[in-house]
């Protein structure tokens, strides 16, 4: 598994593990928040980081 894909998977795994061992009143809301934050935290920086890496490797996608 790719390293970047491992973090969200680990978060979901440990949330599922924890929720199977304790009783949480708003478990559905917790799931939603964890998935939302995971998407935001892992999704937002992707474009700027990829652009930076492309520039560092001499690839400019905006050239004609």
């Amino acid at each position: 598994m790719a390293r970047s894909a491992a973090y969200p998977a680990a978060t979901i795994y440990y949330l599922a593990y924890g929720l199977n061992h304790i009783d949480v009143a708003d478990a559905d809301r917790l799931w939603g928040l964890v998935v939302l934050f995971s998407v935001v935290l892992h999704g937002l920086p992707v474009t700027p980081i990829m652009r930076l890496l492309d520039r560092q490797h001499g690839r400019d996608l905006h050239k004609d």
Side-chain angles (χ1 to χ4, degrees):
M1 181 182 300
R3 186 174 184 185
S4 62
Y7 296 120
T11 302
I12 291 170
Y13 171 81
Y14 284 112
L15 176 61
Y17 180 84
L19 290 176
N20 281 321
H21 287 80
I22 61 170
D23 188 31
V24 177
D26 286 334
D28 291 338
R29 179 177 284 196
L30 185 58
W31 273 109
L33 288 173
V34 167
V35 170
L36 175 67
F37 285 131
S38 180
V39 168
V40 170
L41 291 175
H42 294 95
L44 286 179
V46 168
T47 300
I49 290 171
M50 291 307 296
R51 285 183 181 156
L52 175 68
L53 291 172
D54 282 340
R55 282 195 304 269
Q56 287 178 345
H57 288 97
R59 296 182 296 253
D60 187 2
L61 301 178
H62 299 291
K63 281 186 178 178
D64 292 329

